[in-house]
Amino acid sequence: MVFASPFPDVHIPQVNVFDLLFRDFSQTDLDRVALLDTADGTRTTYRELIGRINVTAGALAARGIGAGGVVGLLAPNSSLFAVAFHGILRAGATATTINALFTAQDIAKQLTDANAKMLITVKALLPQAQEAAQTVGIAQENLIVLDGDGQAATGHANADDLFALNAPAPEVDFDPATHLAVLPYSSGTTGNPKGVMLTHQNLVANMAQIRPLFAMSPEDKILAVLPFFHIYGMTVLLNAALQARATLVIMPRFDLTAFLDTIQGHRITYGFIAPPVALALAKHPLVDQYDLSSLRVILSGAAPLDAELGAAVAERLDVRVTQGFGMSELSPVSHCMPVDGGQEQFGEAAPLNSCGWPVPNTINKIVDPSTGNEVPYPTEGLSEPGELWVKGPNVMTGYLGNQEATIATIDAEGFLHTGDLAQVDAAGRVFIVDRLKELIKYKGYQVPPAELEALLLTHPAITDTAVIGVTDDDGEEIPKAFVVRRPGTDLTADEVIEFVARRVAPYKKVRRVEFIDVIPKSASGKILRKDLRSPTG
């Protein structure tokens, strides 16, 4: 089956990212606060932001950075990150954003693959940044430390040095449809990270696609705790929220107390989160000590949100909880619920275990991975599961330097094969079942880890969990649960196994349990299953 988005197509401007976000401003909007750093209380208006982006672009151009150049950006969330990111794009260069948790070896690997000629970082990350820069041959003067002590003292320019040049932004002329804006790297949860080539048109298209669904406004105060270096934070916060002329209230990292303080103190209206944050909001006793009544919407993405967990957050906070789906290769949003859950357009809110509908200007297929046949669209209920394929203007141009992987991911018709198993219901709502490569095959039966994880999280003594497939003594793949106990409980492995066994089909039972202190996750909240695997399982 091929099914289209039920939302009207939107107009996608043929412009670059800077022109879309910053060319058309009223005087009122110029004086609005664009960015508020919770770390030090710094406020940056849109007027100041645009000025700093332009002079940063000029400073980069003066250092030889322009069209065809790639700049690494390694930093936690801050207003300086926003300025540097958009300064890179304004100069006509390409930003490759780097995970702030990376080691020097990881950083060097990405810089090498992306062929970056400059690295921008912060003092806290300077040791690993410096080691990586030396490894790949980036000159000292091309290692910028945004909050550092400056060129004169250290040999590394800081943000003030870049601003002080007061160099005019260069005149750039390129085709937004083909010119690379960003090179994020796929998370590597199921394989080696690959550079995802996203053009200005890809990013502009995705902002246009989500704008009517998210319905952010200049009056919104949006909490920016999701990392800007990840495509979710980059598009939804760093770009789409600024397009809406909203105020981004920036946190450099997640801390539950600071998170709750920020919502209460700044009267946050819109929160974009990942499921680990939803887990804290649903279960942590600290939440009850705060006034979170300003929140009107929480949107969860980056990993599947269990319906019970989402409902628990909605009830506890008296807030609308919605969910979306996407991936770096889709710029990233491909599916989501409107801000009201779909109530106005469809007469009912989408089920919370769905990721909503395909975004405007896209079409989908669901394909049986074993046969290659399209799964029939249901007249009622849910379709059979299959791999989700997506086609639209937000689909990447390919993987950098990896034609084989590109051909394996984007077919001749332009459909991107997501690698996710999905179902669709008769109302066009899509349900993500699991990652195709993460399915556990037990005696020929397919066992989705996400289903078992959602079930385990309903146990009152379990605060977090992850399930992977491991090999037993007979060479059979079986489900193994890694479990984080709630403090003060003495839950046993046998109790976990029995809890699941009473609630699932026999082939889905958890057959091994290991208790650990924390579930390893990426910055965007995805479970790092590869970190849980060992050579023996």
Side-chain angles (χ1 to χ4, degrees):
M1 69 179 136
V2 175
F3 57 101
S5 171
F7 304 112
D9 279 357
V10 295
H11 170 64
I12 298 173
Q14 305 298 304
V15 297
N16 63 54
V17 171
F18 180 85
D19 284 353
L20 179 77
L21 295 184
F22 302 117
R23 286 291 189 198
D24 183 22
F25 262 90
S26 68
Q27 289 301 310
T28 299
D29 285 343
L30 280 170
D31 292 325
R32 290 183 182 277
V33 175
L35 309 170
L36 192 160
D37 286 279
T38 58
D40 59 10
T42 300
R43 295 170 182 262
T44 305
T45 66
Y46 278 94
R47 188 189 305 277
E48 292 167 332
L49 175 60
I50 294 168
R52 290 169 190 170
I53 290 169
N54 278 320
V55 295
T56 298
L60 295 182
R63 290 168 177 262
I65 299 297
V70 177
V71 179
L73 180 52
L74 172 71
N77 287 6
S78 71
S79 58
L80 288 177
F81 184 112
V83 169
F85 176 84
H86 282 294
I88 295 166
L89 270 59
R90 176 69 179 86
T94 301
T96 186
T97 51
I98 303 171
N99 192 322
L101 300 178
F102 271 8
T103 64
Q105 184 178 0
D106 294 327
I107 298 164
K109 183 178 179 180
Q110 183 169 330
L111 293 173
T112 299
D113 192 71
N115 195 28
K117 301 304 182 187
M118 177 181 281
L119 178 59
I120 299 175
T121 191
V122 294
K123 281 196 296 187
L125 303 178
L126 182 56
Q128 54 267 51
Q130 199 156 25
E131 182 180 340
Q134 290 171 349
T135 299
V136 303
I138 289 177
Q140 177 166 292
E141 61 268 21
N142 279 340
L143 176 59
I144 310 297
V145 185
L146 293 171
D147 59 347
D149 294 329
Q151 183 87 43
T154 67
H156 302 300
N158 61 15
D160 288 339
D161 290 327
L162 299 182
F163 300 160
L165 283 178
N166 204 26
E171 294 294 328
V172 292
D173 183 19
F174 53 76
D175 181 359
T178 59
H179 193 81
L180 293 188
V182 295
L183 263 177
Y185 274 66
S186 60
S187 63
T189 54
T190 57
N192 288 323
K194 298 177 286 293
V196 177
M197 296 191 292
L198 298 177
T199 66
H200 282 258
Q201 192 69 79
N202 286 144
L203 299 186
V204 167
N206 208 220
M207 282 185 270
Q209 289 168 310
I210 64 178
R211 189 171 187 185
L213 306 181
F214 288 178
M216 292 184 280
S217 79
E219 306 310 315
D220 277 315
K221 291 185 177 179
I222 297 170
L223 187 55
V225 68
L226 296 171
F228 291 156
F229 63 73
H230 186 270
I231 190 66
Y232 181 7
M234 184 192 301
T235 291
V236 173
L237 298 173
L238 195 52
N239 290 341
L242 293 177
Q243 184 188 21
R245 311 300 188 237
T247 297
L248 273 180
V249 181
I250 301 171
M251 293 181 63
R253 66 192 62 82
F254 179 77
D255 170 84
L256 183 58
T257 300
F259 180 83
L260 299 171
D261 274 337
T262 300
I263 295 173
Q264 176 177 276
H266 293 282
R267 306 301 293 164
I268 299 297
T269 60
Y270 212 135
F272 291 92
I273 64 168
V277 179
L279 193 62
L281 291 175
K283 294 194 171 188
H284 203 289
L286 190 63
V287 173
D288 293 327
Q289 300 177 24
Y290 288 85
D291 175 9
L292 309 181
S293 60
S294 60
L295 276 172
R296 63 184 184 91
V297 185
I298 290 177
L299 184 141
S300 180
L305 177 70
D306 174 63
E308 287 190 30
L309 178 57
V313 174
E315 181 178 0
R316 190 178 192 188
L317 304 187
D318 189 24
V319 67
R320 169 73 72 181
V321 175
T322 63
Q323 182 166 196
F325 169 80
M327 53 196 297
S328 298
E329 292 85 343
L330 292 168
S331 304
V333 185
S334 61
H335 298 74
C336 70
M337 302 172 190
V339 70
D340 68 348
Q343 192 74 45
E344 180 178 346
Q345 182 165 346
F346 304 104
E348 63 175 355
L352 259 180
N353 59 331
S354 80
C355 59
W357 293 266
V359 297
N361 303 60
T362 62
I363 57 176
N364 288 189
K365 284 185 186 181
I366 293 181
V367 177
D368 185 331
S370 60
T371 66
N373 296 328
E374 294 179 23
V375 172
Y377 194 87
T379 55
E380 60 181 10
L382 282 168
S383 72
E384 290 298 312
E387 185 181 9
L388 177 64
W389 295 6
V390 177
K391 182 178 181 179
N394 51 321
V395 172
M396 69 170 180
T397 62
Y399 292 116
L400 179 69
N402 197 332
Q403 186 67 8
E404 182 181 354
T406 299
I407 292 171
T409 304
I410 304 174
D411 64 28
E413 296 180 37
F415 281 95
L416 185 137
H417 301 195
T418 66
D420 286 275
L421 278 182
Q423 295 172 282
V424 63
D425 69 10
R429 300 170 296 209
V430 173
F431 298 73
I432 302 299
V433 178
D434 217 326
R435 286 292 296 171
L436 188 60
K437 293 180 181 178
E438 290 170 357
L439 282 176
I440 300 165
K441 296 292 286 292
Y442 176 73
K443 295 187 183 298
Y445 292 101
Q446 295 183 338
V447 182
E451 179 182 338
L452 295 177
E453 290 158 359
L455 173 59
L456 286 163
L457 285 172
T458 66
H459 194 293
I462 295 175
T463 61
D464 206 356
T465 187
V467 176
I468 65 170
V470 299
T471 304
D472 67 11
D473 295 338
D474 298 324
E476 183 75 53
E477 188 177 29
I478 59 172
K480 175 180 178 178
F482 291 83
V483 172
V484 180
R485 292 188 188 96
R486 182 176 294 280
T489 63
D490 56 359
L491 186 68
T492 67
D494 286 343
E495 288 170 338
V496 172
I497 291 170
E498 182 184 358
F499 175 80
V500 174
R502 291 200 307 266
R503 293 165 172 83
V504 300
Y507 70 87
K508 293 183 180 180
K509 292 193 297 185
V510 167
R511 295 167 194 275
R512 287 188 190 170
V513 174
E514 182 176 334
F515 294 101
I516 58 177
D517 293 331
V518 64
I519 301 297
K521 295 179 182 177
S522 70
S524 63
K526 290 182 181 178
I527 295 170
L528 296 174
R529 299 183 202 278
K530 62 183 175 63
D531 290 358
L532 295 170
R533 302 185 194 280
S534 68
T536 60

